[in-house]
Amino acid sequence: MIEIVILGSGGSIPSLGRNHPSIVVRHTGWNLMFDCGEDTQRQFERAGLGQNKKMAIFITHTHADHLLGLGGLLLRFSLLGRIRPLDIYGPAELIEYVKVNQKTINLGTTFKTTVYGIKSGTLFESDHLAVRAFEVDHRGLAFGYEVSYQRPTGEFLPEKAKSLDVPEGPLWGKLSDGESIALDDGREIRSEEVTGPRPHPLKIVYTGDTRPCDSLRRAAESADILISEAMYTSDHSDLAEERGHMTASSAAELAKEANVKLLVLTHYSPRYETGGPILDEARAIFPDAVLAEDFMRIILNPDGTYRVLHPDHTI
Ligand SMILES: [Zn+2]
Ligand SMILES: [Zn+2]
């Protein structure tokens, strides 16, 4: 199961209920963070994500609303004694930005921090997870990110296991987890012999800030979840064009063309604080759309089904 936690769904100015952009994708002990707007450290704490987990941070572009939380988050992790290394990916200016922070505000870290200036392509691969960056159309160099999860095996087929005389029990579990096993009679049974065809990888796409563009359309093709900025409604499409953003309808049209399963609308302007007009406009085109809220969680199951868990507003 993959868990997506929305830490910030706000626009360029945070409001009382919505912080600057940040999203965390969690699986097998990893916290993969996408964008780190101001005060993400407290959102991270409130969401209970665990400061010493395996972690990588991916910044979409160097606009302040996506980035200013980085120093605070690193400081927090240091004060709490993090020891695991932390890799940070984003446009090359990020390397200088972190260096200047380290020099001028004494931001030493208790753990190894490596910052990578990136180009489009695969950046990260571990535990069946991969992250790929693709360039999008914003003001200056900006990336979207595609997270894919390669399911280790297809469906376990008990009849096949029985026909090969594999005794029911823990060995079945190993085979269904993709491992090979050795039987007492010396035979080796591979997982592929007792499982169905491996399904396509699960895919989550995060747009960052962008205009609708072909690279995003290609990345979003058949995505399980598309998390898209939707800064404006279409009556402000002139502003969207001028400032390099999407409208709710352009996000919905793209989701429809790309045949995604679920569209999550985020980074909407504080002028639509409740998000109602954004959601209505998107759903008129693409009904499987939800509004991101801070602390919303989305569970993506290995079979591709999902559940949206709305936040407990008492937090
Ligand atoms: Zn932004
Ligand atoms: Zn921006």
Side-chain angles (χ1 to χ4, degrees), residues 58-69:
F58 303 84
I59 301 293
T60 55
H61 64 302
T62 51
H63 285 168
D65 53 332
H66 295 254
L67 177 63
L68 283 184

Side-chain angles (χ1 to χ4, degrees), residues 12 60-66 138-139 142 208-210 229 231 243-245 267:
S12 306
T60 55
H61 64 302
T62 51
H63 285 168
D65 53 332
H66 295 254
H138 190 46
R139 290 171 291 131
D209 285 1
T210 185
E229 72 126 306
M231 187 63 86
R243 298 179 184 174
H245 286 293
H267 203 22

